[in-house]
Amino acid sequence: MALKITDECICCDVCVLECPNEAIALGEEIYEIDPQRCTECVGHYETSQCVEVCPVDCIISDPDRPEDRDTLYQRYLRLEQE
Ligand code: SF4
Ligand code: SF4
């Protein structure tokens, strides 16, 4: 499933450059993940890079967006064609 950032985000900015899909950007108050661009890093890395670097562990799986690995991989393929 796509990931989401909780309101515990301290806007440190470190996750932005780690995302291979440019899925993370500053929203009105905290950073936000575009669910149409998040593949959980499938296609690029074995683990979610933003989760690896977030110092306050505020990036979680979005329970409202259950997606299997094939769905995430198809999204990766679509993004690669952009
Ligand atoms: Fe980007 Fe990967 Fe984090 Fe999704 S899991 S927002 S693709 S770094
Ligand atoms: Fe927010 Fe975590 Fe990203 Fe820093 S690394 S901007 S705390 S989500």
Side-chain angles (χ1 to χ4, degrees), residues 3 18-21 23-24 33 37-41 48-50:
L3 303 187
E18 299 300 325
C19 180
N21 296 326
I24 308 173
I33 294 174
R37 298 191 69 86
C38 177
T39 64
E40 286 191 45
C41 288
S48 295
Q49 298 300 288
C50 56

Side-chain angles (χ1 to χ4, degrees), residues 24-77:
I24 308 173
L26 183 60
E28 288 190 11
E29 294 184 357
I30 58 173
Y31 279 77
E32 297 174 351
I33 294 174
D34 179 349
Q36 299 306 317
R37 298 191 69 86
C38 177
T39 64
E40 286 191 45
C41 288
V42 167
H44 290 283
Y45 302 105
E46 290 299 314
T47 58
S48 295
Q49 298 300 288
C50 56
V51 174
E52 298 276 345
V53 299
C54 180
V56 295
D57 296 332
C58 69
I59 306 174
I60 62 172
S61 295
D62 186 345
D64 293 332
R65 295 183 181 279
E67 295 170 319
D68 61 20
R69 189 176 178 87
D70 186 56
T71 300
L72 295 168
Y73 188 69
Q74 292 303 318
R75 180 173 300 141
Y76 158 76
L77 293 177

